[in-house]
Amino acid sequence: MSNQSLPVIVASSDCLAFVPFSMALAAAKSLPIQYRDPPISLPNIEWVIVWHNRSQEDDLVQWAKEKTALCAQTISTRFRAEGG
């Protein structure tokens, strides 16, 4: 399931979801959903990258790990800046 599926599931059910503010804001522009601050304090997000040992020396895997780590850092920074 992609992260784009989650807002559609929420909009077509009685479910709720905890998502980054930016995702809620974007989804509310095109779907009949509402967003609110969570009623409880949420822990920090822990990011984990996993790869097979045989890929350790693969240049493409190294590049992908670096880009993924950079994206995770950017998302975490923005989430904290938005009050997450």
Side-chain angles (χ1 to χ4, degrees):
M1 177 186 321
S2 78
N3 65 354
Q4 301 301 319
S5 305
L6 189 55
V8 175
I9 291 169
V10 170
S12 61
S13 70
D14 61 352
C15 294
L16 60 90
F18 288 92
V19 299
F21 176 74
S22 57
M23 182 182 200
L25 185 63
K29 291 179 181 177
S30 61
L31 295 168
I33 61 173
Q34 297 178 14
Y35 57 91
R36 303 277 186 267
D37 288 334
I40 58 174
S41 179
L42 299 174
N44 289 334
I45 298 171
E46 181 179 346
W47 296 92
V48 179
I49 302 172
V50 180
W51 63 93
H52 195 282
N53 285 340
R54 70 175 169 247
S55 304
Q56 182 67 22
E57 302 302 322
D58 185 306
D59 290 339
L60 183 57
V61 172
Q62 294 298 322
W63 176 86
K65 289 187 324 188
E66 291 170 11
K67 295 301 180 187
T68 301
L70 180 61
C71 287
Q73 181 180 4
T74 301
I75 290 168
S76 294
T77 301
R78 287 183 185 168
F79 183 71
R80 282 191 297 275
E82 292 169 354

